[in-house]
Amino acid sequence: MTLKMDADALNAFLESDFPQVAGQYLVETVDETTLTARLKVEQTHLRPGGTVSGPAMFALADLAIYCAILSRIGPVALAVTTNASIDFMRKPAAGRDLIAQCRVLKLGRVLAVAEALIFSDGGAEPVARCSMTYSIPPK
Amino acid sequence: MTLKMDADALNAFLESDFPQVAGQYLVETVDETTLTARLKVEQTHLRPGGTVSGPAMFALADLAIYCAILSRIGPVALAVTTNASIDFMRKPAAGRDLIAQCRVLKLGRVLAVAEALIFSDGGAEPVARCSMTYSIPPK
Amino acid sequence: MTLKMDADALNAFLESDFPQVAGQYLVETVDETTLTARLKVEQTHLRPGGTVSGPAMFALADLAIYCAILSRIGPVALAVTTNASIDFMRKPAAGRDLIAQCRVLKLGRVLAVAEALIFSDGGAEPVARCSMTYSIPPK
Amino acid sequence: MTLKMDADALNAFLESDFPQVAGQYLVETVDETTLTARLKVEQTHLRPGGTVSGPAMFALADLAIYCAILSRIGPVALAVTTNASIDFMRKPAAGRDLIAQCRVLKLGRVLAVAEALIFSDGGAEPVARCSMTYSIPPK
């Protein structure tokens, strides 16, 4: 499998097509098996007590998985999330960025399935896991 | 069952404890069976094309379900979401607020389960459905 | 909306196309909004202690939701489950059949989404909730 | 981490405590990171066309994840599944056993989260993925 978009191309795509949120995320690495993306945690992502909110983790997983799919099908697609399941397992470390590691499990004609583990930057144990299904529009 | 918090109490709680997001949401009604909450859709919730983003819908469901649980156990609890499953079914109508209708299915000693349907304001068919589990801390 | 299959037609379809399991299930009612199906609980569905197993509840939800979709699109379809999320909330009552009440939330061109609540026969509170996505094959 | 039950102990436990289903499953390997279990596919697990049914895959994931948790906490626990999310991604190969590979992501005081990938025996790509939450009873 040849990737159609590398990390630079994905970051450029986020900046051009998702300017409202692009600054918050960085695709760090992408290869045939894994995409890694970072959420640059800011005040707006925090809950009282200083931990990252559930919706901010969901948004990171959604963006990372979207990028992992685009890395394989290219920027033309209007893929949309149709289903997501997320488990929040541990409290993220305060004052740390979050890192999502994701993996595409199926890339079909109409549906793609991928999963992500989310870590506090530098942490060994995942704070959340997420699986998502994307609907891929007909060409 | 007597509710421990009504809509006014829940809105006041959001303002005091979640000042970063409180202005975006309004608990409209709450009774023994259903809580209704509104997301006042703003530019920050939109995706290119003008529809509300998936993470914004997730955040609405999370907040509405959290409030539905608090309406029954009161504001003292540090309930946290442990699991969420969401289906995005239709494109939200552009320029419309979103309305979440949620229902508590189980309120146990350590776990609560609730579900929400999300509608574009005035729409007849749900744009998303979500179920969530909350962990309730020991007293 | 006109239903394409009523309860009798669905039960006949189960007997002809799913002979291995058909005797365990009965579609009791179906109308525009809700399908009700029964699992005739037998020894094979039980866990030690006498309660119905999780997989038996999953199988009931899967069958009931499948029938609810077929009631609308007819028996020709090779619809397949692509995703399921299930919450087990209470222990089913011993020695009681299970009843699934399900509702189709979306019937699209390629995906259908439906949900089910499962009760012990005669019980007021759901023992499980389930949502499923089906992929509908092109005609 | 020291395992409290190895593959032999888990298989013996299944035979003594789940005699109705034990013959269908075999725990093949278990170590600190991964448990592998086999479903010996029989007629009763098949759908028309000869592929393994969704509920049979669900049951395999449930059993494998249950064993993975018991391998760490021992046979005393009455752990129960509280939530499951499963994606059916590919049609299992006809006439092949199914293999579940599972991994415990969190083993907390009251909740455990684990995930499983399911393969047709000898297949390279997963036919299903599943994540489950178990509630662990207080000692």
Side-chain angles (χ1 to χ4, degrees), chain A residues 8-91:
Chain A
D8 286 348
L10 289 165
N11 287 316
F13 174 78
L14 291 179
E15 273 182 50
S16 66
D17 283 45
F18 295 87
Q20 288 171 320
V21 299
Q24 301 173 28
Y25 303 103
L26 185 68
V27 177
E28 300 208 320
T29 63
V30 57
D31 62 24
E32 285 72 10
T33 61
T34 308
L35 179 141
T36 306
R38 173 183 297 266
L39 171 65
K40 301 173 196 164
V41 172
E42 297 164 13
Q43 197 60 24
T44 181
H45 305 120
L46 302 182
R47 280 273 191 265
T51 56
V52 179
S53 73
M57 286 190 264
F58 179 90
L60 169 61
D62 193 24
L63 180 122
I65 288 175
Y66 182 66
C67 286
I69 293 170
L70 292 195
S71 74
R72 294 166 174 232
I73 63 175
V76 292
L78 284 167
V80 294
T81 314
T82 57
N83 172 265
S85 167
I86 187 163
D87 292 290
F88 299 106
M89 300 187 289
R90 294 176 180 88
K91 209 171 160 167

Side-chain angles (χ1 to χ4, degrees), chain D residues 95-119:
Chain D
R96 296 275 183 81
D97 284 355
L98 290 185
I99 307 292
Q101 294 178 348
C102 59
R103 198 157 59 127
V104 177
L105 295 175
K106 178 192 173 173
L107 185 59
R109 196 177 46 82
V110 295
L111 293 179
V113 179
E115 62 181 5
L117 286 176
I118 297 178
F119 298 83

